[in-house]
Amino acid sequence: LLKELGFVWKDRHHEDNWDEMFRELKKYKKINGHCSVPARAGKLGRWVTSQRYRFRRNAGLACSEKRKSLMDKLGFVWEPISFGGRNRKER
């Protein structure tokens, strides 16, 4: 019923978590000079992997234009080159 009335559900925790992880990514880049966090690099690695997945699936808040723009400005690579030297889309 609420959805039918136009009620917008906001998950503030999700938004806070995204902001926190984005700050962590900025710290990672400052230290390492890039945003290519390995997937196995703990919480940040899982978050980066999740952002790429959500971007490809065009899902939810993680892919808002504002957030994509912030990630782009930081130098985030949405489609990293695989170990074989080819982009995933070329496989």
Side-chain angles (χ1 to χ4, degrees), residues 1-66:
L1 178 63
L2 291 175
K3 192 173 183 178
E4 291 173 1
L5 294 173
F7 186 82
V8 178
W9 297 94
K10 293 263 183 182
D11 184 354
R12 187 69 196 147
H13 174 72
H14 178 78
E15 291 180 29
D16 291 343
N17 185 56
W18 194 95
D19 293 337
E20 175 188 337
M21 295 308 298
F22 183 71
R23 285 190 298 273
E24 291 298 316
L25 181 60
K26 287 180 9 181
K27 288 179 194 174
Y28 182 93
K29 181 178 181 179
K30 186 174 183 175
I31 293 167
N32 297 284
H34 60 81
C35 297
S36 297
V37 182
R40 64 186 180 282
K43 187 175 179 182
L44 183 58
R46 288 188 303 273
W47 182 79
V48 163
T49 300
S50 173
Q51 297 310 296
R52 287 187 178 118
Y53 174 82
R54 290 178 177 178
F55 174 73
R56 284 192 306 270
R57 299 295 182 256
N58 195 25
L61 294 173
C63 292
S64 73
E65 285 301 315
K66 179 181 176 184

